[in-house]
């Protein structure tokens, strides 16, 4: 007879936090969101702590180098997607490690014979108004000039006008040389009242651009995730097939932590992968594993030596695993079960294995719930896909800006290794969809708004740290009728985008 789990499995939206006593100390400014990323022994500190409890999903449509740099700037970590060749993935990791804070590689570069029409289309697509002009249109070409929105007037000018006719030409540009420090670049920007300083090498080839706003934001990012050499930290996804080739390349490129990316992690394949890493690198290479949805799966991966364990099957926004295969578990119930197992494991062995809640976070408050239920951090796909920094195009769909977002198990990603059960057949059926998500602007603004909400809810619960939240949180299941009560109801909402404040 099969084993039946007692009770139903629930998801985040079925829970609410009940406020606890908050002292006058409990204000968002006093809240720390620092949280462990990898396993540690009782009485010791985790070798890697996140400064905010967010990591970006191991997905083509989410985690490329731009996402990794931006998220590390805010205090989180990206896992570069593994559904590309080991060489390509290692190159992305290296791009993050080589990134000089404040020096931006141009992703909107022009040639002199492009038209104003094309410039406007590029601006529309990327949202960037400062565009360098190079001989071959590449971000590393010879610098010929720069175009900003001050150089042309779409309402007056002929749209077929060539870039060479309205750009600010090279001879009129102030540039920095390739060895310039960020501090010096900022001085030049400041002294000359510039918005951007192109940086060139000895052959006058573009190396990067320093924007005034980037330097300012650099100074105001105390949460940055930096390694011992002051480089941004970055993670990378691996699979249970080609690890012997992939892992060495990722380690050499400088990946700070790895994670086995699989839809189902309670398997011998994961054990073998972790064993191979331990045999070749000992504890020096950190690797998370998953995904699991119950205590047995957690204990198995913890015993295998996983540095953290990811929880979640079937809850992802683009995921159709539950529909196609009938496997999974409500994310909240899975998380609670696994976190209980983690605490028991800690009691028994003195080893704390952080738990990551992966998938199914829709509202910001779901993150607070996940933390209160015991998660050490969250992996987010849809949430990050909406921002400028995700690798996908911003598109206009029926007058609304959207970003593309597709699952790793979709026909578009063809990430068969993620769903691999060892046979020869590659991606026999899809487990994910290709979709749009509403565009949400810059990661920095979005993440900061979310963090503020998390911190203020923590204060309502009388908690100044994630650990305190986990110890003090009081949660209640809600009935379907009270879920209706939770939204605006029995009124005619004037403008659904409008936020009303009662200060
Ligand atoms: P989201 O934050 O709800 O969008 O979920 C993201 C998570 O969904 C990822 O971190 C993966 O664990 C999972 N995922 C990614 N691609 C697929 C897919 O194609 N099918 C099922 N799950 C997926």
């Amino acid at each position: 007879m099969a084993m039946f789990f007692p009770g139903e499995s629930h998801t985040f939206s079925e829970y609410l936090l009940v406020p606890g006593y908050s002292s006058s100390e409990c204000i968002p400014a006093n809240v720390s969101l620092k949280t462990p990323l990898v396993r540690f022994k009782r009485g010791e500190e985790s070798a890697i702590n996140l400064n905010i409890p967010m990591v970006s999903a191991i997905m083509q449509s989410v985690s490329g180098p731009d996402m990794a740099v931006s998220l590390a700037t805010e205090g989180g970590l990206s896992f570069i997607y593994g559904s590309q060749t080991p060489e390509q993935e290692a190159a992305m990791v290296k791009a993050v490690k080589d990134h000089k804070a404040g020096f931006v590689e141009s992703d909107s570069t022009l040639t002199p014979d492009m038209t104003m029409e094309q410039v406007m289309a590029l601006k529309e697509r990327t949202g960037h108004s400062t565009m360098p002009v190079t001989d071959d249109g590449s971000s590393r070409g010879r610098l010929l000039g720069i175009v900003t929105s001050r150089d042309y007037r779409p309402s007056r000018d002929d749209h077929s006008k060539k870039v060479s006719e309205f750009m600010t030409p090279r001879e009129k540009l102030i540039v920095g040389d390739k060895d310039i420090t960020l501090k010096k670049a900022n001085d030049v920007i400041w002294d000359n009242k510039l918005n951007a300083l192109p940086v060139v090498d000895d052959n006058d080839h573009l190396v990067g651009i320093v924007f005034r706003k980037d330097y300012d934001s650099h100074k105001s990012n105390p949460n940055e995730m930096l390694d011992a050499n002051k480089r941004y930290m970055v993670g990378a996804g691996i699979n249970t097939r080609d690890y012997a080739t992939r892992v060495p390349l990722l380690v050499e490129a400088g990946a700070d932590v790895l994670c086995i990316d699989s839809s189902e992690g309670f398997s011998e394949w994961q054990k073998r992968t972790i064993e191979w890493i331990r045999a070749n690198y000992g504890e020096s290479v950190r690797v998370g594993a998953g995904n699991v949805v119950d205590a047995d799966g957690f204990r198995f991966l913890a015993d295998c030596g996983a540095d953290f364990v990811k929880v979640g099957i079937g809850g992802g926004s683009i995921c159709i695993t539950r529909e196609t295969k009938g496997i999974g578990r409500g994310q909240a119930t899975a998380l609670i079960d696994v976190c209980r197992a983690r605490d028991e494991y800690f009691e028994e062995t003195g080893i704390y294995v952080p738990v990551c809640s992966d998938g199914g976070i829709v509202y910001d408050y779901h993150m607070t719930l996940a933390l209160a239920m015991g998660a050490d951090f969250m992996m987010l796909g849809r949430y990050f896909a909406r921002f400028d920094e995700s690798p996908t195009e911003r598109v206009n769909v029926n007058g609304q800006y959207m970003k593309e977002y597709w699952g790793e198990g979709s026909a578009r990603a063809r990430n068969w290794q993620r769903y691999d059960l060892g046979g020869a057949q590659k991606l026999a059926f899809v487990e994910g969809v290709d979709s749009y998500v509403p565009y949400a602007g810059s990661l920095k603004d979005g993440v900061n708004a979310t963090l503020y909400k998390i911190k203020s809810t923590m204060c309502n619960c009388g908690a100044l740290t994630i650990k305190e939240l986990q110890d003090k949180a009081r949660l209640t299941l809600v009935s379907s009728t009270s879920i209706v009560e939770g939204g605006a109801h029995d009124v005619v909402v004037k403008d659904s985008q409008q936020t009303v404040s009662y200060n």
Side-chain angles (χ1 to χ4, degrees):
M1 177 80 186
M3 178 272 204
F4 288 85
F5 284 86
E8 295 169 330
S9 71
H10 295 282
T11 190
F12 293 128
S13 289
E14 293 168 82
Y15 281 90
L16 285 175
L17 280 156
V18 177
Y21 171 73
S22 344
S23 74
S24 58
E25 289 286 288
C26 275
I27 54 168
N30 289 342
V31 173
S32 161
L33 292 175
K34 192 172 155 188
T35 191
L37 179 70
V38 294
R39 64 161 62 205
F40 58 92
K41 293 204 184 90
R42 195 192 310 276
E44 294 179 2
E45 260 236 42
S46 175
I48 309 176
N49 285 294
L50 296 167
N51 290 325
I52 62 169
M54 295 179 177
V55 300
S56 68
I58 313 169
M59 297 174 72
Q60 293 173 2
S61 50
V62 180
S63 296
D66 287 351
M67 176 64 62
V69 167
S70 294
L71 184 51
T73 305
E74 298 310 316
L77 195 90
S78 284
F79 284 87
I80 301 289
Y81 60 92
S83 52
Q84 54 183 332
T85 66
E87 292 75 16
Q88 287 167 335
E89 189 183 9
M92 285 196 177
V93 167
K94 188 162 180 318
V96 179
K97 299 311 284 187
D98 287 348
H99 184 90
K100 274 170 84 179
F103 291 75
V104 178
E105 176 153 358
S106 167
D107 67 353
S108 327
T109 313
L110 308 171
T111 56
D113 54 358
M114 283 168 82
T115 61
M116 187 188 301
E117 187 77 43
Q118 289 173 301
V119 173
M120 284 160 26
L122 189 60
K123 183 179 170 203
E124 172 87 2
R125 208 170 71 231
T126 62
H128 299 154
S129 53
T130 301
M131 305 179 200
V133 185
T134 60
D135 56 349
D136 60 0
S138 79
S139 59
R140 296 280 166 150
R142 191 161 58 81
L143 184 66
L144 301 178
I146 208 159
V147 169
T148 71
S149 42
R150 281 185 248 164
D151 293 318
Y152 60 100
R153 275 178 100 177
S155 58
R156 297 250 178 119
D157 294 343
D158 173 2
H159 289 193
S160 62
K161 210 167 159 183
K162 294 260 188 271
V163 164
S164 54
E165 296 170 53
F166 60 89
M167 69 183 186
T168 305
R170 169 70 183 89
E171 56 276 15
K172 292 206 182 140
L173 289 179
I174 298 169
V175 299
D177 77 73
K178 67 176 193 318
D179 297 321
I180 194 168
T181 62
L182 189 57
K183 185 167 181 330
K184 179 79 178 74
N186 191 56
D187 288 344
V188 177
I189 287 174
W190 198 253
D191 293 345
N192 296 283
K193 299 195 168 120
L194 305 174
N195 275 330
L197 180 75
V199 178
V200 293
D201 65 14
D202 301 339
N203 300 318
D204 221 30
H205 279 240
L206 190 62
V207 175
I209 310 177
V210 179
F211 289 94
R212 178 192 287 262
K213 65 174 176 2
D214 279 346
Y215 185 68
D216 289 344
S217 68
H218 180 67
K219 279 211 294 196
S220 58
N221 286 313
N223 281 335
E224 281 179 325
M225 289 290 294
L226 301 177
D227 66 17
N229 299 314
K230 299 248 179 293
R231 300 177 306 175
Y232 285 118
M233 294 183 81
V234 62
I238 60 170
N239 62 65
T240 53
R241 282 253 176 173
D242 65 11
Y243 47 83
T245 320
R246 192 175 292 268
V247 171
L249 291 178
L250 294 174
V251 170
E252 193 184 319
D256 296 281
V257 55
L258 307 177
C259 182
I260 307 174
D261 178 31
S262 169
S263 64
E264 206 273 286
F266 193 178
S267 75
E268 187 177 343
W269 309 109
Q270 300 234 343
K271 183 170 192 277
R272 286 192 198 172
T273 308
I274 298 171
E275 278 171 358
W276 185 90
I277 290 176
R278 293 290 169 252
N280 287 276
Y281 295 95
E283 302 289 316
S284 71
V285 169
R286 301 302 203 137
V287 58
N291 286 7
V292 298
V293 284
D294 72 343
D296 293 346
F298 170 85
R299 196 163 268 271
F300 172 77
L301 291 177
D303 282 340
C304 289
D307 276 299
F308 61 86
V309 172
K310 252 178 345 113
V311 181
I313 296 180
S317 56
I318 32 49
C319 176
I320 51 170
T321 298
R322 292 186 196 164
E323 283 169 6
T324 36
K325 289 167 82 178
I327 62 163
R329 199 174 186 196
Q331 184 65 11
T333 304
L335 184 61
I336 295 165
D337 202 2
V338 169
C339 290
R340 197 169 284 137
R342 177 215 39 215
D343 292 345
E344 283 167 13
Y345 194 80
F346 182 52
E347 276 302 305
E348 274 170 48
T349 64
I351 297 170
Y352 188 90
V353 182
V355 167
C356 169
S357 178
D358 178 17
I361 298 276
V362 180
Y363 301 109
D364 290 345
Y365 85 88
H366 286 169
M367 299 192 207
T368 325
L369 283 174
L371 294 171
M373 288 169 182
D376 294 280
F377 57 100
M378 286 82 59
M379 179 168 273
L380 308 154
R382 189 198 60 86
Y383 177 83
F384 285 119
R386 301 170 307 142
F387 297 131
D388 286 321
E389 292 80 355
S390 73
T392 68
E393 292 282 315
R394 187 178 72 156
V395 288
N396 193 317
V397 182
N398 299 330
Q400 218 198 329
Y401 282 120
M402 300 275 178
K403 295 271 289 189
E404 290 185 295
Y405 179 44
W406 60 92
E408 286 296 297
S410 68
R412 182 164 182 181
R414 304 211 65 79
N415 180 2
W416 60 268
Q417 289 97 332
R418 185 168 199 275
Y419 301 90
D420 187 21
L421 289 174
Q425 201 164 19
K426 318 247 150 111
L427 201 68
F429 52 90
V430 294
E431 292 193 36
V433 300
D434 189 358
S435 69
Y436 293 119
V437 286
Y439 167 66
S442 79
L443 178 144
K444 186 178 188 62
D445 292 347
V447 164
N448 282 313
T450 300
L451 293 179
Y452 195 80
K453 284 190 213 160
I454 295 177
K455 288 178 181 176
S456 71
T457 311
M458 285 172 68
C459 290
N460 296 138
C461 299
L464 291 177
T465 64
I466 292 172
K467 176 82 178 71
E468 239 175 59
L469 177 69
Q470 290 165 352
D471 292 343
K472 290 186 177 173
R474 301 177 313 151
L475 293 130
T476 181
L477 264 172
V478 290
S479 70
S480 44
T481 321
S482 62
I483 292 176
V484 176
E485 183 190 59
H489 61 94
D490 302 302
V491 293
V492 179
V493 178
K494 288 184 188 165
D495 173 2
S496 58
Q497 302 296 315
Q498 187 175 299
T499 327
V500 183
S501 153
Y502 295 98
N503 294 329

